[in-house]
Amino acid sequence: IGLILTFLILLGTTVIGRLFYLQVWQGNYYRALAQGQQKFFSPVSGERGEIFFAGGQILATSSVRKSVYVSPREIKELDKAKKALSQILDLDESLIEEKLNRDNLYEFIKNKVTDAEAEKLQRLKITGVYIGEERVRTFPQETMASQTVGFVDSEKQGQYGLEGFYQDILAGKEGVLEGEKGLGGFLISFSSPNEMEKGSDLVLTLDYQIQFEAEKLLAKAKEDLKFENGTIIVAQPDSGEILALASYPNFDPNNYEQEKDLQIFQNPAIQKIFEPGSVFKPITMAAAIEEGKLTPQTTYIDEGVVRIGQTPIYNYDRRTWGQRTMTEVLEKSINTGAVFAEQQLGSELFLKYLEKFGFFEKTGIDLQGEVFSQNKEFKKGYEINFATAAFGQGVEITPLQLIRAFSVIANGGQLVKSHLVKKIIDKNGQSQEIPLEVSDNIISPRTSSQVVSMMTSVVENGFGKKAKIPGYFVAGKTGTAQVSWGALGIGRSGYSDKTIQSFIGFAPAFNPKFLILVKLDNPQAKTAEYSALPIFHDLAKYIIDLWQIPPDYDI
């Protein structure tokens, strides 16, 4: 009995000891081994839909990207692995050696590996060196239309622009990836994702050639004018289609993570407000003419200054023009004339028309993150605020709001919704056209025609002469606005020496095919006549030639 009891005690001690060794001493190892050999089910995103320019050129697509990682515990030929990884991947050998000597199951070596690099490593067949693959978002045009398209982050979520706005449509339906893991969690087999579907494709209104030319002109102007920021918008005034949306500086969405200043991702056309200056004067004129308060031939006498209470308002360069018509007010960009027009209209009606033109609301364009100004200070109703707003100071808008408002003048009086997507194509190839959204007339066709004639006279006889294109009537208006200290983040009233110089116009004037806004922040030029206007001319001439638009008259 004693012998049997001793045997049982020894046997129990051995079993307990073995269990302690397996469960406690080697517990982590076997736990990893067990988990690694289990099946797994992982959610995976469907292939993201593509984004195309109107002509079919690819703006955003998905591709397979390769990466290299190692399992240090599996590597037998340390020197061979170290030298191969260093030479083929162009990495520091000491960095590779440090990672290979770590007691880990997994060490990441390099992302964005080329096919040639991956092929060279695979031919060497080094145990413990692995090539991984994943589908990533790529932008073949690189910096082109970058703020418009946005990017896709590491979590497969669209950020900014079109990628953010159409995230759900582009992302498609998620599936479930079923597979098995071996020792250390490495994938040894998998089955195809279950129920995964490709996202829908977007076909844009953007014209590849016009977008390219707009960005090229901005880049050249940056060298000549040294402006801080530049924006060009090209639209069709009768449909609201955006043909080009260019900004400078821009970024490469393929390498968005390298950007340090996150403001580079913002689209100035919809996410930055500004005081427009004299380009606003045709809006004031349109409202006053529509209400029958004046006509293009109405005259007033300019004395060089108008006083609102104790506050004087001067013309540019403090010039005095004498008796002038409202058409000449636009031609010579006379501030006191714009104040006269607003006073004939009255503050209440002026405010009503600015609201009708859409300056106090978002345009609703299909881009993520659009902002607008409440214009709370302007709306307080002080006489001085309405007077300065008549020539575009003290009222805040976005460039796209300005484009939409001038579309009203160009298209006969209707407010159209600006948009960037022409149609959506689903996984079955079925197309959904984006319908045109048009409001009731903001101004009458007659008023529209009169203001167009006034703006045409600006180009024919006024400060807009550099916009003239032989054979065509062009309507336009210059604007050189002072930048307030508040807009620069400085807590003081009044305006700085910095300017925003812009030109907005359309052609052919009496049957517009396109509308262009050029906006430059603080260029090294005296006025927009010498900065934004020449860019408008070159782009307008390019579009006329590209589309072969018939001339208005023989040269």
Side-chain angles (χ1 to χ4, degrees):
I1 292 173
L3 184 61
I4 293 171
L5 184 60
T6 300
F7 174 76
L8 291 174
I9 291 172
L10 289 173
L11 179 62
T13 302
T14 301
V15 171
I16 292 171
R18 180 62 176 169
L19 289 173
F20 178 83
Y21 174 78
L22 294 174
Q23 293 182 323
V24 179
W25 190 259
Q26 293 287 326
N28 289 337
Y29 170 78
Y30 284 101
R31 188 177 298 110
L33 181 63
Q35 290 175 348
Q37 291 175 333
Q38 294 173 357
K39 283 191 174 183
F40 72 90
F41 301 89
S42 177
V44 291
S45 300
E47 182 181 344
R48 199 171 181 86
E50 296 179 298
I51 302 177
F52 299 94
F53 285 95
Q57 302 89 348
I58 297 176
L59 179 58
T61 186
S62 297
S63 62
V64 174
R65 185 170 68 191
K66 295 181 179 180
S67 58
V68 174
Y69 61 93
V70 298
S71 175
R73 293 182 182 179
E74 296 181 32
I75 291 180
K76 304 289 192 295
E77 303 170 284
L78 189 63
D79 286 340
K80 180 181 178 181
K82 178 177 63 176
K83 290 179 180 178
L85 291 169
S86 175
Q87 292 174 3
I88 294 173
L89 302 180
D90 192 25
L91 296 173
D92 184 74
E93 196 170 301
S94 61
L95 178 65
I96 301 294
E97 183 175 17
E98 179 189 349
K99 292 191 175 185
L100 294 181
N101 284 325
R102 291 175 184 171
D103 186 24
N104 290 335
L105 292 171
Y106 171 91
E107 283 292 331
F108 178 78
I109 300 297
K110 185 179 181 181
N111 199 0
K112 298 183 181 178
V113 174
T114 66
D115 290 340
E117 291 171 336
E119 187 178 347
K120 289 178 182 178
L121 282 175
Q122 287 172 328
R123 282 204 302 263
L124 294 176
K125 297 181 179 179
I126 304 173
T127 303
V129 176
Y130 296 91
I131 308 296
E133 292 184 351
E134 64 171 334
R135 293 198 70 83
V136 295
R137 197 62 160 170
T138 54
F139 302 86
Q141 311 300 336
E142 298 179 342
T143 60
M144 189 173 181
S146 56
Q147 280 101 349
T148 300
V149 69
F151 59 87
V152 177
D153 65 19
S154 58
E155 302 298 322
K156 312 296 185 187
Q157 296 296 306
Q159 302 292 339
Y160 297 92
L162 293 161
E163 293 281 19
F165 189 90
Y166 286 100
Q167 163 63 21
D168 293 340
I169 290 174
L170 289 165
K173 184 178 179 181
E174 282 192 344
V176 177
L177 184 68
E178 179 182 350
E180 296 180 355
K181 296 178 181 178
L183 179 61
F186 292 110
L187 184 68
I188 58 175
S189 68
F190 66 91
S191 60
S192 298
N194 188 13
E195 297 183 354
M196 186 177 73
E197 293 180 358
K198 180 181 181 295
S200 297
D201 296 333
L202 305 180
V203 178
L204 305 181
T205 60
L206 288 182
D207 184 293
Y208 177 88
Q209 292 169 291
I210 297 176
Q211 179 75 30
F212 183 87
E213 185 68 15
E215 295 198 12
K216 185 176 76 172
L217 288 171
L218 273 182
K220 183 180 183 302
K222 172 65 177 177
E223 296 178 4
D224 300 336
L225 299 169
K226 305 296 188 295
F227 59 77
E228 295 173 4
N229 295 279
T231 300
I232 293 178
I233 306 175
V234 185
Q236 285 187 327
D238 59 342
S239 68
E241 291 189 358
I242 303 299
L243 305 175
L245 199 55
S247 300
Y248 192 97
N250 48 25
F251 70 99
D252 184 353
N254 296 294
N255 301 296
Y256 71 90
E257 68 280 359
Q258 296 179 8
E259 297 293 339
K260 305 302 181 187
D261 183 5
L262 299 186
Q263 288 192 3
I264 194 71
F265 301 140
Q266 292 184 333
N267 193 324
I270 64 163
Q271 293 183 297
K272 293 186 179 180
I273 59 175
F274 75 113
E275 296 181 31
S278 292
V279 290
F280 207 73
K281 289 172 182 171
I283 303 296
T284 304
M285 291 294 177
I289 292 171
E290 178 68 15
E291 288 295 320
K293 304 299 183 180
L294 48 76
T295 72
Q297 292 76 39
T298 298
T299 62
Y300 88 114
I301 297 176
D302 168 48
E303 298 177 346
V305 62
V306 59
R307 295 188 180 275
I308 308 298
Q310 298 300 313
T311 305
I313 294 176
Y314 298 98
N315 294 321
Y316 174 74
D317 233 7
R318 299 206 172 189
R319 295 188 63 174
T320 300
W321 296 93
Q323 181 169 307
R324 297 287 172 173
T325 67
M326 293 299 101
T327 296
E328 289 176 309
V329 167
L330 291 191
E331 288 177 0
K332 312 303 181 185
S333 201
I334 306 173
N335 290 344
T336 61
V339 175
F340 172 82
E342 188 277 327
Q343 289 175 336
Q344 306 315 300
L345 179 63
S347 298
E348 186 176 335
L349 279 175
F350 183 51
L351 186 65
K352 172 187 171 184
Y353 271 92
L354 295 196
E355 184 174 0
K356 290 176 68 175
F357 272 100
F359 290 118
F360 304 146
E361 64 182 9
K362 295 180 180 179
T363 67
I365 193 172
D366 41 349
L367 288 173
Q368 189 181 61
E370 183 181 13
V371 303
F372 74 104
S373 173
Q374 298 279 357
N375 279 289
K376 292 181 179 179
E377 188 65 28
F378 166 66
K379 289 180 179 178
K380 286 181 179 179
Y382 300 129
E383 186 181 1
I384 185 64
N385 292 352
F386 288 107
T388 58
F391 55 89
Q393 296 281 181
V395 60
E396 298 176 324
I397 62 174
T398 65
L400 192 65
Q401 284 179 315
L402 191 64
I403 277 283
R404 182 175 64 163
F406 269 84
S407 292
V408 173
I409 294 173
N411 70 25
Q414 294 181 311
L415 189 72
V416 294
K417 183 176 179 180
S418 302
H419 61 283
L420 276 157
V421 172
K422 184 187 293 284
K423 60 182 176 181
I424 300 172
I425 304 175
D426 66 21
K427 60 183 176 61
N428 299 316
Q430 299 296 314
S431 295
Q432 175 191 346
E433 299 283 339
I434 304 301
L436 176 65
E437 294 187 34
V438 183
S439 74
D440 295 334
N441 275 44
I442 305 302
I443 56 176
S444 68
R446 184 173 183 272
T447 298
S448 167
S449 178
Q450 288 178 304
V451 179
V452 169
S453 295
M454 295 169 75
M455 291 177 63
T456 303
S457 190
V458 170
V459 175
E460 294 293 321
N461 308 306
F463 290 162
K465 288 180 181 178
K466 287 185 173 64
K468 290 183 69 170
I469 299 172
Y472 298 86
F473 290 114
V474 178
K477 183 68 187 76
T478 56
T480 301
Q482 291 177 280
V483 180
S484 68
W485 290 112
L488 298 174
I490 299 173
R492 57 181 286 193
S493 60
Y495 289 84
S496 69
D497 292 333
K498 289 191 172 185
T499 61
I500 292 177
Q501 300 179 15
S502 55
F503 186 88
I504 191 165
F506 45 89
F510 300 100
N511 184 23
K513 304 299 181 185
F514 59 86
L515 167 66
I516 301 174
L517 169 66
V518 179
K519 171 181 171 287
L520 305 177
D521 294 6
N522 203 37
Q524 292 185 4
K526 190 175 182 180
T527 65
E529 183 181 356
Y530 306 100
S531 60
L533 201 161
I535 299 174
F536 169 91
H537 170 273
D538 291 349
L539 185 55
K541 180 67 166 59
Y542 175 84
I543 296 173
I544 285 172
D545 292 343
L546 178 68
W547 288 355
Q548 298 181 356
I549 299 174
D552 295 318
Y553 58 89
D554 294 330
I555 301 174

